[in-house]
Amino acid sequence: MTANGWLQIIVFLLAVFLATKPLGTFMARVFSRERTWLDPVMRPVERIVYKVTGVDESHEMDWKEYALAWLLFSGVSMILLYVLQRVQQWAWLPWNPQKLAGVPPALAFNTAASFTTNTNWQNYSGETTMSYLTQMVGLAYHNWISAAAGMALAIAFIRGITRREQKTIGNFWVDLVRGTLWVLAPLCLVGALLLVSQGVVQNLKPYDTVQLLDPYQTPQLGSDGKPINGPDGKPVMQTVTQQTIAQGPTASQEIIKELGTNGGGFFNANSAHPFENPTPFTNFLEMFCIFAIPSAFTYTLGTMTGSRRHGWAVWAAMALLFLAGVATAYWAEARGNPLLTSATQHSSQHPSSALQATGNLEGKEVRFGVANSALFATVTTDTSCGAVNSMHDSFTPLGGMVPLINLMLSEVIFGGVGAGMYGMLIFVILSVFIAGLMVGRTPEYLGKKIEAYDVKMAMLVILIFPLVILVFTAISVLYSFGTSAMANAGPHGFSEVLYAFTSAAANNGSAFGGLSGNTPWYNTSLGLTMLIGRFMMALPMLAIAGNLAGKKQTPATLGTFPVTGPLFTTLLIGVVVIVGALTFFPALSLGPILEHLLMVAGKTF
């Protein structure tokens, strides 16, 4: 750990903090339909969209109608993406210069579920599987609308808190359009141009082929991806003399994948690829974009509820949890693997002091090093963004446990665009409920009584999440169709499977990297996990929003638990951590914790 590394982490959090108020204020005005400086440009476009689609922007929806509109929109979008993947090889479809084949059914289902749910889990290599048409019209479109839908759901929940004795929580179509036009579009335009200025590619050219100056030999692979053996039992070798350099419309997809906390990657190497993330500035910008909107939502919450101190209290809880995670990950990765340090104590070429200075560099892009890799891993798993600039599979056991724990906390440490806000509000309801039990009175939240129905719906959200993760993980590690895809034995292999289903249920999309997920079992089970993690957890939230909107405002009294100070922040952090710890500690004990103890004892896998 170095002073420079800590300085970069502090500067990053400071930049996020400084952007929270102006962006949060702007979003509050957008979704409250107050005038903004973008109205002269966006308002005419908005009217055209409503006229073409037949949307009545003055119509208000109750929570059931709001949920139905969201479900139908998501379902139709998912079907269209599935079909596009299957037919992308048709000759009359444009933008497929590499003549890539149609995507197989199970993988197409997994990908359609992934991008519809804002997960962006990828069981494929983007540059060898998806045509430019699928990347731009299919995947990038879902990056936009899944993010805008998440923002709409969060705003609907906030309206449920603020409204008094009303049955409606807004109009899904209006919230979707305004989030897209006013928030995502201008930010993506500026961000994409910044990325292009730094060297991120943006074109529709076919891939280039170049001659290697130093050809090399590699095992010849069969259709199953495994080496082909000759009569002597040894792998058949082939000489590689050329390299294919993939390119395409990267910058436009890169910026929305970060701002929309989508994740995924145009290239298989994701944000470690120099065409996606070429400079230290782009690395900082991409991390900043991941946190920008989720952080600003806390100020939007405070502004729309009339309690900005409450918004800052929620932000403080998120920031403290983030700092705890990044400090642990940075410490573990900077410390490195003690077995490697011990093995080189007497080496003149690789002294242990040098290893201790560099830390664990396995699986990391040397341009970014340990500090920025640990920071990026923490940022991307604190949100529902699966972008990575290093391979989490190569982290030390405790370093890799931090991203896993971030996911297990339901990604409420800033969280996904919109999803993090309504996920944290579920924990806020549980926190004030617990506080009410402590003082022996009906719990209240910003003037609304929290009653049995609200708590039941909140607990439904809390229980669905671990249920789907643990059930699918258990099945996968018990049967050969699951274990055959594991790259490692022992606790690390278990962590790979546990991480996969946790990432899918949390709609994150990052992976440890060692699991071969492109199998019928994992494509299907992970796709179902993503759908459950998105829709089955958001529906109870909307039910709470509808119930809160219909309640009367209760004046605060001396017995009302304040939700604006350090005590509330501490309680909120405690509830988030305890719920996650009680649920997942046994699984963590079988995975990264056991792996760490065995590593210290000299055992590796």
Side-chain angles (χ1 to χ4, degrees), residues 288-344:
F288 173 81
C289 288
I290 294 171
F291 261 21
I293 296 177
S295 177
F297 252 109
T298 61
Y299 199 83
T300 302
L301 169 69
T303 300
M304 294 183 68
T305 59
S307 179
R308 291 193 174 100
R309 289 183 61 196
H310 172 59
W312 284 121
V314 173
W315 188 92
M318 294 177 171
L320 289 172
L321 288 167
F322 158 73
L323 287 172
V326 73
T328 304
Y330 186 21
W331 169 81
E333 294 308 295
R335 182 171 178 266
N337 188 329
L339 296 180
L340 293 178
T341 303
S342 175
T344 57

Side-chain angles (χ1 to χ4, degrees), residues 316-395:
M318 294 177 171
L320 289 172
L321 288 167
F322 158 73
L323 287 172
V326 73
T328 304
Y330 186 21
W331 169 81
E333 294 308 295
R335 182 171 178 266
N337 188 329
L339 296 180
L340 293 178
T341 303
S342 175
T344 57
Q345 282 181 347
H346 304 292
S347 170
S348 59
Q349 293 182 336
H350 303 287
S352 61
S353 59
L355 281 173
Q356 290 173 341
T358 57
N360 176 33
L361 284 175
E362 180 190 350
K364 295 179 177 63
E365 171 58 61
V366 294
R367 294 177 298 137
F368 306 131
V370 170
N372 272 286
S373 297
L375 177 58
F376 205 115
T378 305
V379 168
T380 200
T381 52
D382 278 341
T383 64
S384 63
C385 184
V388 295
N389 74 350
S390 60
M391 293 299 103
H392 299 174
D393 193 46
S394 296
F395 277 35

Side-chain angles (χ1 to χ4, degrees), residues 465-521:
F465 182 68
L467 179 64
V468 65
I469 293 171
L470 297 177
V471 168
F472 276 125
T473 299
I475 295 173
S476 299
V477 299
L478 285 175
Y479 297 98
S480 60
F481 54 74
T483 57
S484 60
M486 294 162 54
N488 294 275
H492 193 80
F494 176 79
S495 295
E496 290 174 350
V497 176
L498 178 64
Y499 192 105
F501 286 105
T502 307
S503 176
N507 297 142
N508 178 269
S510 66
F512 251 30
L515 186 72
S516 300
N518 191 13
T519 67
W521 164 250

Side-chain angles (χ1 to χ4, degrees), residues 135-150:
Q135 291 270 22
M136 294 179 66
V137 177
L139 305 185
Y141 161 77
H142 277 76
N143 284 351
W144 283 74
I145 59 101
S146 65

Side-chain angles (χ1 to χ4, degrees), residues 43-189:
R43 184 61 178 149
V45 177
E46 183 186 27
R47 290 195 182 101
I48 293 173
V49 171
Y50 296 150
K51 187 174 183 179
V52 171
T53 57
V55 171
D56 179 5
E57 61 179 311
S58 63
H59 173 68
E60 286 273 328
M61 301 176 175
D62 62 17
W63 80 265
K64 294 178 182 178
E65 186 181 0
Y66 201 101
L68 181 60
W70 170 54
L71 290 172
L72 289 175
F73 178 70
S74 300
V76 171
S77 298
M78 178 177 170
I79 292 171
L80 291 176
L81 178 57
Y82 176 84
V83 172
L84 178 59
Q85 293 176 83
R86 299 284 290 130
V87 303
Q88 69 175 12
Q89 80 280 10
W90 287 4
W92 57 271
L93 289 176
W95 299 339
N96 188 9
Q98 301 305 121
K99 309 299 181 184
L100 297 175
V103 181
L107 180 58
F109 165 74
N110 181 279
T111 305
S114 178
F115 279 78
T116 301
T117 58
N118 197 242
T119 307
N120 298 58
W121 174 278
Q122 293 177 284
N123 278 334
Y124 60 89
S125 297
E127 62 265 49
T128 60
T129 307
M130 300 297 179
S131 69
Y132 290 164
L133 179 68
T134 304
Q135 291 270 22
M136 294 179 66
V137 177
L139 305 185
Y141 161 77
H142 277 76
N143 284 351
W144 283 74
I145 59 101
S146 65
M151 295 167 67
L153 296 179
I155 290 298
F157 200 163
I158 295 173
R159 288 200 193 102
I161 298 169
T162 60
R163 293 186 173 181
R164 305 176 185 178
E165 299 181 74
Q166 297 185 34
K167 294 182 179 180
T168 59
I169 56 174
N171 185 309
F172 171 75
W173 307 113
V174 173
D175 292 337
L176 183 77
V177 170
R178 293 187 73 83
T180 302
L181 293 181
W182 268 262
V183 181
L184 295 177
L187 291 176
C188 284
L189 176 61

